[in-house]
Amino acid sequence: MTTMIATFLKELEAEAQTTRKMLSLIPDDKYDWKPHEKSMTIRLLAVHIAELPAWVTMTLHTDGLDFASAPYQPTVINNNSELLELFEKSLEDGRQSLQAATDEQLQPQWTLRAGSEVLYQATKGEAVRMTFSQIVHHRAQLGVYLRLLNIPIPGSYGPSADEMESKPAVAEQV
């Protein structure tokens, strides 16, 4: 029988491949760009994506996070090399925590709050799953940013439109 930990490790590795490809495409001269006044800069979005695998560790080793007492302080990066180094460090941190965990450790409650306001409450296992969903969600946002900058993007779960342009249509291959 496959454990939840084994399933999470497999998913973490699969998503890391796509995330790494997307993060590697950000040009060093675009880190302060954003598509809209209400949007994050590419720098802030990319750093958040790169840091998210380490949330697995935080989830497994705490009973929650309170933004009121621990406001988010993104890691400062200035180029793609630093971004990818941050991602690999976060990924290894999350991977090691999962490898050392048991399915039983996924059962206790975990709470995300802003002071007295509860933003999210679930089991630690559900919070790990939400972390993976956040990686995918923000990676998709990054894909839109890159598309708006006319940077060809890789596929996530199949070929992207950019990859399809370079391949002849099935009817043409016959």
Side-chain angles (χ1 to χ4, degrees), residues 27-88:
D28 286 344
D29 67 342
K30 298 296 182 192
Y31 275 96
D32 294 322
W33 184 85
K34 59 183 180 177
H36 187 273
E37 63 191 36
K38 293 182 181 179
S39 300
M40 291 184 263
T41 62
I42 286 182
R43 179 190 323 269
L44 186 55
L45 178 60
V47 164
H48 185 51
I49 294 166
E51 291 176 335
L52 276 168
W55 279 51
V56 170
T57 300
M58 177 185 55
T59 300
L60 291 171
H61 297 288
T62 67
D63 62 359
L65 173 63
D66 184 353
F67 285 130
S69 61
Y72 177 57
Q73 296 292 324
T75 302
V76 176
I77 58 103
N78 294 300
N79 57 53
N80 202 264
S81 177
E82 291 174 0
L83 175 65
L84 292 172
E85 184 178 314
L86 174 62
F87 174 67
E88 296 301 336

Side-chain angles (χ1 to χ4, degrees), residues 58 121 165:
M58 177 185 55
Q121 188 170 42
E165 287 176 358

Side-chain angles (χ1 to χ4, degrees), residues 11 21 23 74 86 89 100 111 113 148 152 154 163 165-167 170-171 174:
E11 185 174 356
K21 286 189 287 187
L23 292 175
L86 174 62
K89 180 182 172 192
T111 305
R113 65 176 68 245
L148 291 171
E163 293 167 330
E165 287 176 358
S166 65
K167 297 178 182 179
V170 175
V174 178

